Amino acid sequence: MFALVAVVAFTLIGAALYAVLHRELVRQQMDVLSTTSGEMMFSLTRMGTAERWARGMAKMDTLTPADGSLRFWVVSPDPHFSYGKDAAELASIAELDDGYDEVLLPGRERPMRTFARTVDALEQRPAVKFVVGIATEPYLHTLHTFVIALAALLLAAVLVIMLLCQWMASVGLRPLKRLSSEAQQISPAHPTQRLQAASLPVELDDLAHTFNGALDRLQSAYTQLEAFNADVAHELRTPLTNLIGQTQVALARPRGVQELEETLQSNLEELDRLRAIVNDMLFLARADRGEAATGLVNTVVADEVDKTIEFFEFVLDDLGLTVAVEGDIDAVAPMDRALFRRAVTNLLQNAIQHTRGGTRIVVRLERQEGGVSVAISNPGDPIDAAHLPRLFDRFYRVDAARNDQGAAHGHGLGLAIVKAVASMHGGRVFAVSADGNTAIGFNLPR
Amino acid sequence: MKILIVEDEAKTADYLHKGLTEQGCAVDVANNGIDGRHLATELDYDVIVLDAMLPGMDGFEVLRALRKTRQTPVIMLTARDGLDDRIKGLQDGADDYLVKPFSFLELLARLQALTRRGRTQEPMQLRIGDLQIDLASRKAQRGGVRIDLTAKEFALLAVLARRKGEILSKTAIAELVWDMNFDSNVNVVEVAIKRLRAKIDGPFATRLLHTIRGMGYVLEQRESETA
């Protein structure tokens, strides 16, 4: 590619140089002709007699070099005042008009460049035509040599450029090659490995940063998934351990019916926990696969919220808590009612569980640009901003040491399910903690 | 009630057979699709419990073959929670659908719901021991003493009374009383039962509302028990 461009460019330059040189050579020939012609004319115009003319002819003889590269002719009606050896030559010279011209003389390969002028009559001499001719061979030779030299130079230059380009490309691509080999080494075994962006040229810096950004996101998803799997294993491990242990203990000795019954009942409780976890995990997996809620019905959001609050009526009463619905209570949004209630149930349960230093839980409905948002806020301990977006992660606990157990506390999937329900509706979740209040919610797009 | 179970998992088939027989049902078991289709089309059953994944011939095929000749109610069981499976099953003519892991109580409730369909109107007066419930006027009294109940407390009592002697799981109660048809993981039902119990059993010598640990609750008169 580079070579082709170089060839074209150099050919153009060469052609231009050739044209310039050619013109200069022609001009030089003309200069020689006009100078020589001028000098001779100066003498010839003053030569009116045959005697003086002979001196002029002798001067022309001396000026004519042996190789005949410079020639003089005088064409005259009076043979005494003619100059030029060959009659045939004179015949072709006689046809020339005043000025520059070219003439191919008999017995020559190349034409001669000529300059013709008329010398006015003086005394005995009639008006004659004075012609100076110069051979073009040396000039053509020069031109020829020049063309060969130029062609050779061009060829050499193209070769050099090709090699240079190749070298430059390989030097220029070296960082890219390095990136490529670095990228090849990135694998799940070395999840923290990144491309070295520091030593890269500016052009590649962006690429490396973008690529590293993508890797960061993948790694965080990967880490989350790994942690998730570990959490699942852990969550299942506890009830499984209880089941196996209790059953083994029960069977190790003969037991009364009542004792065996109690063991079975306890086992059943553990099994039910397992079942709930598995069902919730399956639900989350479906949402993860991008399953969307279908058959959405336009519903007054506040009505569904009220029904869910009704569900908690006794619990709220026992704990001395109240729930108020505020905001846009006429707002309507398309929803899968069962899923919506599930999400609000989980949010309310979360709010009830974490209410501290107050008794009033608020469900705030707001009509927004794209739909309706539902935010449930409870007075409670402030949550660090770093934890807020992670509240919706599966099995995420703000206080790692606190390990909520028992039916009343769920199993760490409540808010993850809220997020899944929101995403099944094409909505998003949000969490805000300020002024001793925590508000968690989601929105339903229209 | 005559029930056919088509299920290849031996343990599942065994416990379903045992459990349903103990509930007073006549139970046949087929452990592959071909036997299942044969029994289902040749004999009269009140309801069929059909696993979706079967050797020889899958549950959907059995269902399609059955629906050509009979309209026996069918509950499909599946281990896959895909919406597609659910739709496919219902399109092929299944009457209900349960995803494994399901609870035996839930299956029992669904079976009863399927066979109860189209029965005559329920009585408006229910009686459990000395507890009287009037569903029309929404009033309850025990031993001649009027019991004050909130709307939801009465709804809970009515649900239990309609299924007297039947164990109801928390999930089933949440669905029947509050229309919350999902595993809610909350202690709402426990709290509600505690309140109801305080009102209907508290002041009386005999307990009617019993807790079956790990299973749920049942409203019935037990001769041997006293408070």
Side-chain angles (χ1 to χ4, degrees):
Chain A
M1 189 61 207
F2 277 118
L4 195 73
V5 172
V7 166
V8 171
F10 284 149
T11 309
L12 286 173
I13 293 171
L17 278 178
Y18 178 84
V20 169
L21 183 66
H22 187 256
R23 219 187 61 209
E24 283 303 304
L25 285 174
V26 170
R27 207 174 54 81
Q28 202 189 331
Q29 287 176 336
M30 287 172 172
D31 281 353
V32 173
L33 283 176
S34 75
T35 318
T36 319
S37 168
E39 280 175 13
M40 280 310 298
M41 281 288 284
F42 184 76
S43 318
L44 290 180
T45 42
R46 285 165 183 75
M47 295 173 176
T49 62
E51 186 185 303
R52 295 183 77 175
W53 188 255
R55 287 218 301 270
M57 291 210 283
K59 188 176 181 185
M60 283 191 271
D61 278 345
T62 27
L63 282 177
T64 306
D67 61 357
S69 59
L70 190 68
R71 298 285 303 275
F72 300 91
W73 294 277
V74 179
V75 184
S76 159
D78 182 345
H80 284 106
F81 292 99
S82 300
Y83 180 78
K85 295 158 187 159
D86 199 316
E89 273 183 19
L90 274 174
S92 43
I93 293 296
E95 288 166 18
L96 298 171
D97 292 325
D98 280 7
Y100 294 102
D101 208 338
E102 280 182 17
V103 70
L104 185 64
L105 296 174
R108 275 187 167 268
E109 280 177 28
R110 300 282 175 184
M112 289 197 94
R113 189 166 301 281
T114 55
F115 185 53
R117 288 172 88 171
T118 302
V119 186
D120 295 333
L122 182 72
E123 296 168 13
Q124 302 161 357
R125 177 174 56 85
V128 295
K129 181 182 284 184
F130 171 66
V131 177
V132 184
I134 189 165
T136 52
E137 278 92 348
Y139 297 96
L140 286 172
H141 183 71
T142 306
L143 207 56
H144 185 66
T145 315
F146 173 75
V147 166
I148 289 175
L150 197 62
L153 271 173
L154 285 189
L155 211 67
V158 166
L159 268 171
V160 167
I161 282 180
M162 266 170 67
L163 290 172
L164 255 168
C165 283
Q166 208 160 23
W167 178 74
M168 271 167 61
S170 84
V171 168
L173 290 176
R174 204 173 291 155
L176 213 63
K177 269 195 182 141
R178 204 192 77 215
L179 278 186
S180 161
S181 73
E182 274 179 21
Q184 247 167 14
Q185 280 166 16
I186 293 170
S187 72
H190 307 100
T192 52
Q193 190 157 339
R194 292 289 179 273
L195 301 181
Q196 302 297 318
S199 59
L200 286 177
V202 197
E203 296 88 342
L204 289 175
D205 207 46
D206 256 7
L207 175 72
H209 276 116
T210 313
F211 190 77
N212 281 345
L215 283 179
D216 285 344
R217 288 191 293 278
L218 279 179
Q219 195 204 341
S220 106
Y222 184 76
T223 314
Q224 205 178 332
L225 196 68
E226 262 187 343
F228 175 55
N229 285 338
D231 283 340
V232 171
H234 175 79
E235 293 292 324
L236 297 182
R237 192 178 287 149
T238 312
L240 280 175
T241 307
N242 290 348
L243 279 170
I244 294 169
Q246 282 176 4
T247 310
Q248 282 171 340
V249 169
L251 292 176
R253 282 172 201 283
R255 309 261 174 200
V257 173
Q258 197 178 345
E259 233 177 317
L260 287 176
E261 213 168 63
E262 272 171 22
T263 308
L264 279 176
Q265 285 167 342
S266 167
N267 282 356
L268 192 56
E269 283 169 358
E270 292 299 321
L271 288 166
D272 212 46
R273 266 177 68 192
L274 283 176
R275 185 183 62 87
I277 293 175
V278 168
N279 279 344
D280 285 352
M281 303 288 308
L282 288 172
F283 179 80
L284 290 173
R286 267 161 55 200
D288 274 356
R289 280 204 309 269
E291 190 174 304
T294 50
L296 302 186
V297 182
N298 271 313
T299 310
V300 178
V301 178
D303 286 356
E304 288 304 311
V305 172
D306 283 343
K307 280 177 194 160
T308 313
I309 294 171
E310 200 176 52
F311 183 49
F312 284 95
E313 184 187 321
F314 299 135
V315 176
L316 292 167
D317 200 23
D318 275 14
L319 295 171
L321 300 176
T322 58
V323 179
V325 182
E326 292 179 354
D328 197 336
I329 57 165
D330 300 320
V332 172
M335 61 166 79
D336 177 316
R337 286 177 191 166
L339 289 179
F340 180 82
R341 283 187 201 177
R342 188 171 184 172
V344 176
T345 299
N346 288 356
L347 285 175
L348 270 174
Q349 194 194 349
N350 183 71
I352 291 169
Q353 220 172 299
H354 294 109
T355 294
R356 309 263 187 289
T359 58
R360 193 163 177 268
I361 294 168
V362 176
V363 182
R364 181 149 197 92
L365 306 179
E366 259 172 52
R367 225 181 292 230
Q368 292 177 328
E369 190 70 23
V372 179
S373 81
V374 183
I376 299 187
S377 61
N378 62 279
D381 305 334
I383 299 173
D384 193 86
H387 291 300
L388 287 175
R390 300 206 55 199
L391 288 177
F392 301 96
D393 289 358
R394 294 147 202 217
F395 303 119
Y396 188 75
R397 288 181 177 109
V398 173
D399 178 2
R402 192 182 71 203
N403 199 358
D404 292 339
Q405 289 287 346
H409 295 283
H411 43 63
L413 289 174
L415 293 182
I417 286 174
V418 173
K419 189 180 176 183
V421 169
S423 76
M424 283 167 118
H425 283 85
R428 301 177 68 83
V429 288
F430 53 85
V432 187
S433 177
D435 307 327
N437 257 296
T438 306
I440 304 178
F442 62 101
N443 65 340
L444 294 172
R446 204 172 295 283
Chain B
M1 185 156 47
K2 201 172 174 204
I3 298 177
L4 172 65
I5 296 164
V6 189
E7 166 67 77
D8 62 314
E9 229 312 293
K11 267 197 168 177
T12 311
D14 275 357
Y15 91 77
L16 287 179
H17 181 255
K18 188 176 175 191
L20 291 171
T21 307
E22 281 173 6
Q23 292 289 320
C25 302
V27 183
D28 287 341
V29 174
N31 54 22
N32 63 63
I34 294 155
D35 291 353
R37 179 186 57 176
H38 177 76
L39 287 172
T41 48
E42 295 302 315
L43 300 174
D44 285 320
Y45 291 100
D46 293 312
V47 62
I48 296 169
V49 178
L50 179 60
D51 191 26
M53 303 268 278
L54 289 169
M57 185 182 194
D58 78 13
F60 300 105
E61 279 181 74
V62 174
L63 182 58
R64 282 194 294 272
L66 172 68
R67 282 287 174 263
K68 282 177 191 159
T69 52
R70 282 172 181 274
Q71 291 304 317
T72 318
V74 170
I75 293 186
M76 293 283 288
L77 305 179
T78 183
R80 283 189 297 177
D81 192 23
L83 194 65
D84 292 347
D85 255 20
R86 192 180 306 241
I87 291 168
K88 196 175 160 199
L90 294 177
Q91 269 174 352
D92 284 347
D95 297 85
D96 208 341
Y97 197 92
L98 271 179
V99 179
K100 292 176 183 174
F102 58 85
S103 86
F104 179 69
L105 284 184
E106 195 175 359
L107 175 68
L108 208 56
R110 304 276 187 111
L111 287 173
Q112 272 156 353
L114 273 182
T115 49
R116 200 184 286 134
R117 273 184 194 171
R119 277 202 198 160
T120 50
Q121 192 102 44
E122 281 180 302
M124 282 329 242
Q125 298 276 338
L126 299 172
R127 174 180 279 277
I128 297 106
D130 55 353
L131 175 67
Q132 271 188 307
I133 300 156
D134 187 339
L135 293 175
S137 63
R138 306 184 71 76
K139 280 183 181 126
Q141 56 172 6
R142 189 168 179 189
V145 183
R146 165 90 182 268
I147 302 171
D148 259 336
L149 295 172
T150 66
K152 280 294 165 194
E153 283 165 356
F154 185 84
L156 174 61
L157 178 62
V159 159
L160 289 161
R162 280 204 189 94
R163 291 162 183 75
K164 108 179 132 168
E166 239 176 73
I167 301 169
L168 282 177
S169 68
K170 289 182 201 170
T171 311
I173 291 173
E175 183 174 348
L176 291 165
V177 179
W178 289 277
D179 197 18
M180 294 286 168
N181 44 1
F182 49 85
D183 270 332
S184 47
N185 281 315
V186 288
N187 57 346
V188 168
V189 176
E190 287 164 43
V191 173
I193 291 282
K194 211 171 101 195
R195 289 182 160 232
L196 184 63
R197 181 173 282 146
K199 286 189 177 173
I200 65 167
D201 279 346
F204 303 96
T206 332
R207 282 178 56 182
L208 295 175
L209 182 49
H210 308 276
T211 303
I212 315 295
R213 195 181 153 205
M215 302 260 276
Y217 305 94
V218 61
L219 188 67
E220 67 184 348
Q221 186 175 31
R222 292 182 182 170
E223 296 305 330
S224 56
E225 270 189 65
T226 49

